[in-house]
C-alpha cells in the first residue's frame, strides 16, 4: 500500500547489510606440510549465487525529506525541476567482470585474488590469483593448517590493478591500498570505471563445511533516474562534476564478515559524464542502468561537487542544461553505498504533514490543515483522535461528540471533505475528495474545536491529533477499496 499514517513524517536514510556471497569449500585430500592436519583438505571457493540481481536488494526510501530545485526555471513551464536523493547500501550487488559494477547480473565472476594469513603470527599462508568457472575456484596445493586462518579476497573489474596489503591478528583484520581512476572523457566514463570489492573471513579453522566470503564495495555508486516531467523530454547527457580521481584507502574487517572503508588523501578533480538518449516517458526510469553506473572514489562533498543534466523538450525543441551543487544536499559520497539521484517527481513517493495551531489560552485548536509534503500528487484521508493527559500519562479517553467541546467545521470542510466515519456507515475516516498536488493543502479539517467542559480529571489537559494517510493518485482504489463515492480526480479548487 502506498500510504502512511503520520502527524509529521520525515523520510529517513535506509541502511541495510551489503553483500554478495562467495563461499569457501573444502575437499578432502592427503597431507603435504608439517603444519597441516593429517587427512587435511584442499581449499576451494564456490560462489553462493553467480547470478545475483543488482536491483533485488535496493530500497526505494528517500533519505531526505526536502525536495531540491535543479537549476533555473524552465521557460515553457514557469517552474524549476525538482531533484531528490536516495541512499541505499549496495545490497544484492555481487561480483562480476565489469561492464557491470560487480553485480553478477548475467555476468559471472571470472577472477579473484585470495590471500590467507595465519591468525597467531600474521604469517602469509598463500596468495593466489584464482580463475572462477561456473561459480567455482580451487586453491592449488595448499591445505588446512592446525591453526586458524583469515582469508582476504579482492576482485576488480575491467582488468584493473587492485592489490591491497593485508595485516592480520586474532582481533584486527586490516588492509590498505591506493587507487587512481581511469582518465575521464565526459561521454562514456561509466563504462570505463572499475568496481573494487573486498571480503574478509576471519578466524576460520579446518572444517568440511563451506566458509562464506561476503564482499563489500570500496567505491561509491551513483545512479540517475527520471521522475515525472511536466511534458515529454529527452535527456541527452548526465554528469558529475568535482569528482576526485585518486586516494588512499584503509579497510578493516570484523569477525562477522563486515568490512569498513576509510578514504583519505583524495586528490585531483574531474567531471565524469556520459551521453544518453532517455525519453522521460520510458517505463524504465533509470537513466544510467547497471552497465552505466558511475563508480567514483568516496569523498567529502564541497561546493564544486555538482550534478548536471541536459535535456530537450519535445514540443518546443528547446534544450536546457541544469546544474545543482550537492553541498546543501549531502555531506559525502561514502563507500559501499549507492546514491540514486531522481530528476523530476518520483510518482512512488508521497508524504504528509498535519499543521494545526492551539490558542494561547490552551482551549481552542484551530486552522487544522494537511499538506502534501511528498513528491507526487495524492489523495488524503484523516481521523480525529484525542486523550486527556496528566503528567504525560493518559488518564481518560476522548471521543468527538461526547459533549466536552464544540467543533466549528466551517463551510470549507463541507466543500472539501466527505464524512465516511463509522457513525455515517463508513470505515472511520474523513476523506478529502480532491487530489492534493505536491506542496498543496487540503481545506481545513475543521475551523476550530473549543472546550466547554472541565477536564474529567483535575489538572488534565486534552490532546487532539489528526492522524492522516496519503496514497498516490493512481493507487486510490487498490489502497482504499472502501473509499466513499464522490471522490474527484480533479485538484482542489
Amino acid at each position: 500500500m502506498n500510504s502512511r499514517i503520520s502527524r509529521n513524517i520525515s523520510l529517513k536514510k535506509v541502511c541495510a547489510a551489503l553483500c554478495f556471497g562467495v563461499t569457501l569449500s573444502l575437499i578432502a585430500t592427503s597431507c603435504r606440510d608439517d603444519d597441516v592436519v593429517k587427512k587435511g583438505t584442499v581449499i576451494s571457493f564456490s560462489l553462493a549465487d553467480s547470478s545475483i540481481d543488482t536491483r533485488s536488494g535496493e530500497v526505494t526510501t528517500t533519505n531526505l525529506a526536502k525536495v531540491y530545485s535543479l537549476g533555473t526555471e524552465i521557460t515553457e513551464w514557469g517552474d524549476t525541476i525538482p531533484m531528490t536523493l536516495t541512499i541505499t547500501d549496495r545490497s544484492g550487488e555481487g561480483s562480476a567482470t565489469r561492464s557491470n559494477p560487480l553485480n553478477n547480473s548475467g555476468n559471472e565472476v571470472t577472477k579473484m585474488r585470495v590471500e590467507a594469513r595465519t591468525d597467531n603470527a600474521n604469517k602469509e599462508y598463500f596468495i593466489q590469483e584464482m580463475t572462477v568457472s561456473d561459480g567455482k575456484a580451487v586453491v592449488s596445493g595448499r591445505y588446512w593448517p592446525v591453526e586458524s586462518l583469515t582469508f582476504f579476497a579482492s576482485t576488480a573489474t575491467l582488468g584493473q590493478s587492485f592489490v591491497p596489503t593485508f595485516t592480520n591478528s586474532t582481533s584486527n583484520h586490516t588492509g590498505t591500498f591506493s587507487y587512481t581512476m581511469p582518465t575521464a572523457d565526459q561521454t562514456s566514463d561509466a563504462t570505463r570505471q572499475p568496481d573494487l570489492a573486498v571480503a574478509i573471513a576471519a578466524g576460520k579453522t579446518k572444517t568440511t563445511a563451506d566458509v562464506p566470503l561476503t564482499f563489500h564495495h570500496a567505491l561509491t555508486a551513483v545512479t540517475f533516474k527520471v521522475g515525472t516531467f511536466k511534458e515529454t523530454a529527452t535527456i541527452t547527457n548526465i554528469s558529475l562534476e568535482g569528482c576526485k580521481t585518486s586516494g588512499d584507502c584503509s579497510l578493516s574487517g570484523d569477525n562477522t564478515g563486515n568490512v569498513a572503508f576509510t578514504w583519505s588523501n583524495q586528490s585531483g578533480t574531474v567531471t565524469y559524464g556520459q551521453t544518453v538518449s532517455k525519453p522521460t516517458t520510458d517505463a524504465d526510469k533509470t537513466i544510467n542502468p547497471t552497465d552505466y553506473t558511475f563508480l567514483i572514489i568516496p569523498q567529502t562533498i564541497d561546493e564544486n561537487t555538482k550534478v548536471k543534466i541536459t535535456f530537450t523538450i519535445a514540443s518546443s525543441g528547446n534544450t536546457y542544461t541544469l546544474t545543482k551543487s550537492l553541498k546543501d544536499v549531502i555531506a559525502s559520497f561514502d563507500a559501499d553505498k549507492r546514491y540514486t539521484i531522481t530528476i523530476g517527481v518520483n510518482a512512488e513517493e508521497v508524504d504528509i504533514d498535519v499543521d494545526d495551531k492551539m490558542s494561547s489560552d490552551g482551549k481552542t485548536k484551530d486552522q487544522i490543515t494537511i499538506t502534501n509534503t511528498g513528491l507526487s500528487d495524492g489523495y488524503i484521508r484523516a481521523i480525529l483522535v484525542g486523550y486527556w493527559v496528566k503528567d504525560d500519562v493518559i488518564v481518560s479517553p476522548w471521543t468527538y461528540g461526547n459533549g466536552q467541546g464544540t467543533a466549528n467545521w466551517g463551510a470549507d470542510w463541507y466543500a472539501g471533505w466527505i464524512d465516511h466515519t463509522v457513525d455515517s456507515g463508513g470505515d472511520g475516516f474523513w476523506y478529502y475528495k480532491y487530489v492534493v498536488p505536491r506542496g498543496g493543502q487540503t481545506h481545513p479539517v475543521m475551523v476550530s474545536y473549543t472546550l466547554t467542559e472541565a477536564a474529567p480529571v483535575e489538572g488534565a489537559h486534552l490532546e487532539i491529533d489528526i492522524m492522516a494517510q496519503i496514497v498516490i493518485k493512481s493507487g486510490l482504489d487498490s489502497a482504499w477499496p472502501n473509499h466513499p463515492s464522490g471522490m474527484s480526480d480533479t485538484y482542489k479548487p
Side-chain angles (χ1 to χ4, degrees):
M1 179 188 299
N2 285 308
S3 62
R4 304 178 186 160
I5 297 178
S6 171
R7 261 201 97 243
N8 190 354
I9 296 179
S10 61
L11 301 175
K12 300 178 181 178
K13 178 167 71 177
V14 175
C15 289
L18 162 78
C19 69
F20 59 85
V22 178
T23 54
L24 182 67
S25 301
L26 308 174
I27 304 173
T29 66
S30 60
C31 174
R32 279 183 43 184
D33 296 84
D34 292 340
D35 62 346
V36 176
V37 177
K38 295 295 183 181
K39 297 182 180 180
T41 58
V42 171
I43 304 170
S44 67
F45 294 92
S46 62
L47 271 69
D49 184 351
S50 60
S51 59
I52 299 174
D53 181 357
T54 187
R55 309 296 302 175
S56 62
E58 289 199 9
V59 183
T60 57
T61 302
T62 305
N63 74 299
L64 299 171
K66 186 174 180 180
V67 179
Y68 297 87
S69 293
L70 178 63
T72 57
E73 183 175 292
I74 305 302
T75 302
E76 290 93 327
W77 302 340
D79 195 4
T80 58
I81 294 179
M83 183 194 81
T84 61
L85 181 71
T86 300
I87 302 175
T88 58
D89 283 312
R90 294 171 65 184
S91 303
E93 297 186 5
S95 52
T97 53
R98 177 57 177 211
S99 55
N100 292 341
L102 293 179
N103 63 41
N104 263 346
S105 181
N107 190 13
E108 292 186 350
V109 171
T110 59
K111 293 183 182 297
M112 64 177 66
R113 179 181 184 272
V114 179
E115 178 175 338
R117 305 192 72 86
T118 60
D119 286 329
N120 65 347
N122 188 32
K123 175 184 176 183
E124 179 188 307
Y125 190 63
F126 71 78
I127 298 177
Q128 291 193 15
E129 295 284 345
M130 306 180 69
T131 299
V132 180
S133 178
D134 295 327
K136 196 77 172 179
V138 179
V139 176
S140 174
R142 298 302 287 169
Y143 306 84
W144 276 105
V146 174
E147 63 180 298
S148 62
L149 296 175
T150 290
F151 298 95
F152 300 87
S154 58
T155 183
T157 57
L158 294 177
Q160 293 295 306
S161 176
F162 173 51
V163 183
T165 298
F166 294 109
T167 302
N168 185 50
S169 69
T170 55
S171 58
N172 294 302
H173 321 289
T174 61
T176 60
F177 67 92
S178 298
Y179 193 75
T180 299
M181 298 294 287
T183 303
D185 65 8
Q186 275 107 64
T187 59
S188 59
D189 292 316
T191 60
R192 303 186 303 112
Q193 294 170 329
D195 203 0
L196 315 176
V198 173
I200 298 176
K204 303 302 180 182
T205 56
K206 179 181 179 292
T207 175
T208 58
D210 291 339
V211 177
L213 292 175
T214 301
F215 277 83
H216 295 256
H217 298 256
L219 299 179
T220 300
V222 180
T223 301
F224 285 79
K225 284 188 175 182
V226 58
T228 302
F229 276 44
K230 288 183 178 292
E231 60 179 290
T232 300
T234 298
I235 296 169
T236 57
N237 190 272
I238 53 176
S239 61
L240 291 170
E241 298 182 351
C243 297
K244 301 301 182 182
T245 59
S246 63
D248 301 326
C249 183
S250 299
L251 60 94
S252 61
D254 60 23
N255 290 332
T256 65
N258 293 317
V259 181
F261 302 90
T262 302
W263 284 83
S264 61
N265 302 321
Q266 295 96 324
S267 62
T269 302
V270 71
T271 295
Y272 290 127
Q274 54 185 289
T275 301
V276 298
S277 180
K278 183 70 174 181
T280 57
T281 53
D282 275 6
D284 179 6
K285 295 301 183 181
T286 304
I287 301 173
N288 58 327
T290 302
D291 289 2
Y292 300 92
T293 297
F294 285 113
L295 295 165
I296 61 176
I297 288 179
Q299 64 182 76
T300 299
I301 301 298
D302 60 27
E303 63 276 0
N304 297 314
T305 313
K306 300 176 181 178
V307 171
K308 184 191 294 184
I309 180 170
T310 301
F311 64 93
T312 300
I313 298 176
S315 62
S316 66
N318 291 336
T319 296
Y320 291 88
T321 297
L322 305 181
T323 303
K324 172 67 179 177
S325 173
L326 294 176
K327 186 176 181 181
D328 62 341
V329 180
I330 52 173
S332 61
F333 281 140
D334 299 328
D336 236 1
K337 296 285 191 296
R338 177 179 293 274
Y339 295 76
T340 300
I341 297 169
T342 299
I343 308 301
V345 175
N346 185 334
E348 297 300 318
E349 295 171 359
V350 291
D351 212 338
I352 49 180
D353 180 46
V354 178
D355 183 23
D356 54 47
K357 296 178 174 60
M358 179 68 78
S359 64
S360 59
D361 62 7
K363 293 183 178 181
T364 302
K365 197 176 189 76
D366 60 12
Q367 302 180 44
I368 303 171
T369 61
I370 300 173
T371 303
N372 178 357
T373 58
L375 310 179
S376 183
D377 304 345
Y379 287 100
I380 290 173
R381 67 181 184 181
I383 190 171
L384 194 65
V385 296
Y387 303 94
W388 289 98
V389 178
K390 181 178 181 180
D391 299 329
D392 295 325
V393 176
I394 296 173
V395 294
S396 179
W398 172 91
T399 303
Y400 172 74
N402 62 4
Q404 294 175 325
T406 58
N408 177 10
W409 295 102
D412 280 347
W413 189 93
Y414 295 100
W417 290 90
I418 299 173
D419 186 347
H420 203 51
T421 57
V422 174
D423 289 343
S424 300
D427 57 10
F429 287 90
W430 299 320
Y431 283 77
Y432 191 67
K433 64 183 178 182
Y434 298 109
V435 178
V436 181
R438 176 175 62 91
Q441 286 186 328
T442 65
H443 288 86
V445 178
M446 66 170 64
V447 174
S448 64
Y449 183 85
T450 304
L451 290 174
T452 58
E453 300 289 335
V457 176
E458 185 178 355
H461 65 276
L462 179 62
E463 293 186 1
I464 299 176
D465 287 327
I466 299 291
M467 306 301 292
Q469 293 180 319
I470 187 170
V471 64
I472 59 174
K473 181 181 177 182
S474 61
L476 174 64
D477 292 334
S478 59
W480 301 335
N482 297 318
H483 67 75
S485 60
M487 300 292 286
S488 172
D489 62 359
T490 60
Y491 292 87
K492 171 186 171 182

